[in-house]
Amino acid sequence: MSKAKKTAKSNKKSKKTLGKKELRVLITQYLSQQPGEYIHYKQLFRALKLTNGPLKMLAVDILNEMIEAGEVTHNEEGDVSYNGHSQICEGVFTRTAGGKNFVDLPDGIGVSVYDEDTLHALPGDKVKVSLFAKKKNSQKLQGQVVEIVKRNDKPYIGVLQISKHAAFLVSTNGQLPHDILIPLDKLKGGKNGEKALVKITDWPDHAHNPVGAVVDVLGASGENDTEMHAILAEFGLPYKYPEKVERAADTIDPGITDDEVAKRIDMRDVTTFTIDPRDAKDFDDALSIRKLKEGLWEVGVHIADVSHYVLEGSVIDKEAQQRGTSVYLVDRTIPMLPERLCNFICSLRPDEDKLTFSVIFTMNDDAEVLSSKIAHTVTRSNRRFTYEEVQHLFETIGDASEEDLQYPTPEQPLAEGACPAETYREELVTLNHMAKILRKQRFRNGAVDFDREEVRFEIDDKGKPLSVYFKRAKDANKLVEEFMLLANRTVAESVGKNLKKGEKAKTLPYRVHDVPDPNKLESLGKFIARFGLQLRTQGSRQEVAKSLTAMLHESKGKPMEELVEMMSLRAMMKARYSTVNIGHYGLAFDYYTHFTSPIRRYPDLMVHRLLTRYENGSASASQKKYEGLCDHASDMEQLAASAERASIKYKQVEFLADKIGEEFEAKISGVTEFGLYAEIIENRCEGLIPVRYLGEEAFDFDDRNYALVGRRTHHKFCLGDKIQIRVVRANLMQKQLDFEFVKKIEAAPGTTAPKTPFYEVVEKKKKRKKN
């Protein structure tokens, strides 16, 4: 079989989900395997399984761009041929934390650039790079920046160092090769040692340092607010709300008129409640339930009707669209919408009439959906529950899962004047019964079951972490989750499914999740075989998913559970938003969208507006417009997730800062050529053990088996090994922990422990030297 055919075959099931960048990589891979050979564009479509119109149009756009760039030639018959990269390519300049420079080309290839060849390019700059001749048998590209097409206007974060005659911004993340020189009249009130945002204004050709001006002073380095704002700014996320947006929110009338009620289904007399975390204020979803007759129920999923208050194109809408999502850091929420909207006007607070957008189901005791309708409604929540209150009820009356009973939920104090959960016992128990059935059905259909604990911190009023605890999803959480999933799926099906013959589905942002990368799945199968586990890596989508879930269930409660789950997650693709529906692999849904959280996710707000548009008989919205909005929302979601991880990492470093020299049991959580990552078992804080802290012998990196192997002793450090570590450094500036290896406690399941522990070899060698 030719390389080209292999590429097409291995990518058979994953083409429909691709964005422009990913599709360009695949086109380049396919054409480059047949250099000089002309291929008709329809043959290319067939080989890459581009079966729908939008993807074919996207592929044509990419081919035109590649023709313009000289990477591809074409003839009059529409055949194209690959030329390879031209000598001058355009891309985005990046710099790693380790100080290495690259230019990322549109086809996903990275061109390495030495410091002296950067032409003063900075991370995020759009540049042109001249490619050097390739070394024989080398796949790496080396080049020299020859033009800066467009400077990145994102400001840089660092610490101000101010002397009598000069000031500098010193970068804290290693992304700047040189400090930024700041004229003393451009400090904007910043003081020595404070963190600030600085925008580069000039970098003369022969100057060593770029010149910049302070955009904003974040505050004293080390203070909690300063550091959290710095994390947000690092990822280009806002840390304060524009005054004009706040003022616009203040002018919104929260009142509900009789005319508005008359346009909607009035469900204020139906038992309704919210179930949320203890500290939540933005209640964007509620559940209602009423018995229609014996064995028959009406269940409502009611979502805050944000689109009624936030009009498309308004100043509030533009800000929300740009933000894309609320951001959740360790100690705070940075909301997508102004506080007046998300915590008051739109929030489904108890004993207040609210405008909602609802999915209303008729269901029987077996959780079968007999009918459903999507409608604008008016609702009134009778009770605001916490997850802990509902879970306590389930555990008290014996309705909790066996797994939940292993982690009993302490009873939480009730809000003053609130009625206990017992008052709604029948409603909650009925919903819980249905949710468990819905959950079982999902897993029978091939949904993948990842049920990981989340790290949380107890912090004082100054933001200092006092302790670490773990949040686990229990029946109360899963009850809400299952009905939100059901509502989201129903909404997606209402637009994309059951179309008349020849009818084209109207535009809708779907939440899509592609099948796992085949190569990663194959590697996972080989990795778990050492534990006696099996995974089907070929077959139908459902067969592979069921096999994955069965394997994860088999590992539960066993020593290798966390390790297997971590490696399985690494094989998964990331879910994202797209108007091109390919289903959701992880949930085993053919149609899925996000409808249930418009207070904190912009795609949900888009879906609400489109449903209203189509309900009124309007034509389909522009797919091109909404695909662009989907791409932006996906990007912002990833940035928000990165910021959340960075805030957790900062708190972990801060938590261990006063524990230097202390020893902990840990598990090896990552293996690289430069050292090991180890996660402390009791608090999940992760740090690096550089190779130099592993002893005096040299090591080889075995990437197939995720291990470092001693060249002389052949002792192994494997992923999942239990070891004793000592905390040696906590660098808050770089959010980095360094550990020192003390001793091996237990080899990972499926690996062979050395006969003589490595730490004993090192100790014996030290004694011999002394003697």
Side-chain angles (χ1 to χ4, degrees), residues 11 21 35 59 62 161 222 311 338 377 455 494 510 528 600 653 673 679 702 708 710 754 760:
N11 291 307
K21 182 176 179 180
I62 291 168
Q161 287 187 356
L311 302 181
T377 54
V455 178
S494 74
Y510 293 94
I528 64 166
R600 61 184 178 89
V653 176
E673 63 268 24
E679 183 180 82
D702 181 355
L708 286 180
E760 290 184 14

Side-chain angles (χ1 to χ4, degrees), residues 556-761:
K556 276 194 181 296
K558 296 179 182 177
M560 80 289 284
E561 177 185 355
E562 288 185 20
L563 183 59
V564 168
E565 193 167 85
M566 177 179 68
M567 296 306 296
S568 300
L569 276 169
R570 291 180 183 179
M572 294 293 107
M573 304 291 274
K574 282 186 171 66
R576 61 187 190 85
Y577 298 103
S578 176
T579 57
V580 180
N581 178 45
I582 49 92
H584 196 292
Y585 178 81
L587 296 173
F589 290 159
D590 292 330
Y591 299 86
Y592 189 66
T593 189
H594 272 171
F595 165 82
T596 53
S597 295
I599 287 178
R600 61 184 178 89
R601 293 188 305 228
Y602 195 77
D604 302 55
L605 184 53
M606 291 193 283
V607 168
H608 281 219
R609 287 174 177 155
L610 289 174
L611 287 175
T612 303
R613 173 190 177 116
Y614 301 151
E615 182 186 300
N616 295 331
S618 297
S620 181
S622 164
Q623 184 181 23
K624 184 177 181 181
K625 170 189 170 181
Y626 277 90
E627 187 63 25
L629 291 171
C630 284
D631 286 342
H632 176 72
S634 298
D635 291 343
M636 297 308 293
E637 178 188 26
Q638 292 304 312
L639 288 175
S642 297
E644 181 182 4
R645 285 193 295 270
S647 76
I648 291 171
K649 186 65 181 178
Y650 183 87
K651 290 301 172 189
Q652 288 177 329
V653 176
E654 191 177 12
F655 181 66
L656 289 185
D658 60 356
K659 297 172 179 60
I660 303 299
E662 292 187 26
E663 295 183 7
F664 298 90
E665 284 191 6
K667 280 186 178 179
I668 295 176
S669 55
V671 183
T672 69
E673 63 268 24
F674 51 82
L676 306 170
Y677 284 97
E679 183 180 82
I680 296 175
I681 293 169
E682 70 179 62
N683 54 39
R684 300 285 174 86
C685 295
E686 187 182 58
L688 174 68
I689 307 174
V691 170
R692 67 180 182 276
Y693 287 155
L694 293 177
E696 297 177 12
E697 77 171 312
F699 286 85
D700 291 318
F701 175 44
D702 181 355
D703 58 342
R704 286 189 176 184
N705 293 302
Y706 306 96
L708 286 180
V709 184
R711 289 182 184 173
R712 182 174 55 81
T713 64
H714 303 294
H715 292 306
K716 289 183 179 181
F717 288 95
C718 298
L719 195 67
D721 283 356
K722 190 183 285 187
I723 59 175
Q724 188 91 357
I725 61 93
R726 183 182 297 115
V727 182
V728 295
R729 190 174 295 104
N731 188 327
L732 278 168
M733 283 283 192
Q734 296 182 350
K735 297 186 280 293
Q736 184 174 314
L737 289 166
D738 281 353
F739 297 156
E740 184 178 45
F741 171 71
V742 177
K743 64 180 180 180
K744 181 175 280 190
I745 298 171
E746 181 185 337
T751 63
T752 304
K755 292 178 182 177
T756 306
F758 180 63
Y759 70 94
E760 290 184 14
V761 175

Side-chain angles (χ1 to χ4, degrees), residues 52-325:
N52 62 63
L55 273 180
K56 289 178 181 179
M57 291 170 63
L58 185 60
V60 170
D61 289 342
I62 291 168
L63 287 171
N64 284 331
E65 288 176 5
M66 294 176 79
I67 289 167
E68 271 187 45
E71 295 174 45
V72 169
T73 57
H74 70 107
N75 59 26
E76 292 179 0
E77 284 76 37
D79 301 331
V80 292
S81 178
Y82 186 67
N83 277 342
H85 291 107
S86 59
Q87 188 189 358
I88 305 293
C89 299
E90 199 168 282
V92 177
F93 187 85
T94 60
R95 183 178 173 87
T96 68
K100 293 182 179 179
N101 308 308
F102 293 93
V103 175
D104 293 334
L105 304 181
D107 58 9
I109 303 296
V111 180
S112 180
V113 180
Y114 292 125
D115 281 346
E116 59 268 27
D117 294 329
T118 63
L119 201 69
H120 290 170
L122 292 165
D125 288 353
K126 196 173 184 180
V127 301
K128 287 185 178 179
V129 60
S130 175
L131 302 182
F132 298 154
K134 259 190 188 181
K135 292 180 182 178
K136 192 174 181 180
N137 299 325
S138 172
Q139 294 299 312
K140 292 183 179 179
L141 291 178
Q142 189 78 31
Q144 175 183 20
V145 176
V146 293
E147 181 186 344
I148 295 173
V149 179
K150 186 182 179 184
R151 281 284 188 194
N152 177 25
D153 59 0
K154 179 182 169 184
Y156 294 91
I157 308 158
V159 177
L160 294 174
Q161 287 187 356
I162 305 172
S163 64
K164 187 175 180 180
H165 302 292
F168 290 92
L169 182 88
V170 180
S171 173
T172 56
N173 60 12
Q175 284 215 320
L176 280 177
H178 305 287
D179 299 337
I180 302 174
L181 175 65
I182 306 168
L184 295 178
D185 62 345
K186 300 292 183 184
L187 284 170
K188 207 173 181 179
K191 298 181 180 64
N192 190 52
E194 289 188 320
K195 272 198 170 176
L197 295 179
V198 170
K199 194 170 185 178
I200 292 176
T201 55
D202 190 22
W203 196 345
D205 289 343
H206 302 293
H208 183 70
N209 298 88
V211 180
V214 172
V215 175
D216 196 10
V217 179
L218 299 176
S221 184
E223 287 188 358
N224 188 58
D225 281 350
T226 300
E227 299 302 335
M228 293 300 107
H229 289 168
I231 285 170
L232 291 165
E234 178 185 346
F235 294 98
L237 297 168
Y239 48 89
K240 53 188 175 183
Y241 239 97
E243 288 184 12
K244 64 178 181 179
V245 180
E246 296 279 15
R247 286 197 300 269
D250 289 339
T251 65
I252 294 175
D253 181 4
I256 300 174
T257 65
D258 291 341
D259 286 345
E260 187 59 41
V261 172
K263 298 174 188 174
R264 297 169 176 258
I265 298 175
D266 190 343
M267 298 189 70
R268 287 175 289 183
D269 62 341
V270 182
T271 299
T272 304
F273 40 75
T274 59
I275 309 174
D276 289 283
R278 261 181 294 167
D279 55 355
K281 294 178 182 176
D282 54 342
F283 312 134
D284 53 10
D285 60 80
L287 292 170
S288 72
I289 181 169
R290 64 177 162 188
K291 183 181 271 190
L292 300 176
K293 63 180 183 180
E294 195 60 40
L296 199 63
W297 302 85
E298 177 194 81
V299 178
V301 178
H302 307 289
I303 310 301
D305 191 357
V306 176
S307 62
H308 177 82
Y309 299 101
V310 180
L311 302 181
E312 190 170 5
S314 66
V315 65
I316 298 174
D317 180 55
K318 288 176 181 176
E319 182 69 20
Q321 184 186 113
Q322 180 58 37
R323 292 178 177 234
T325 179

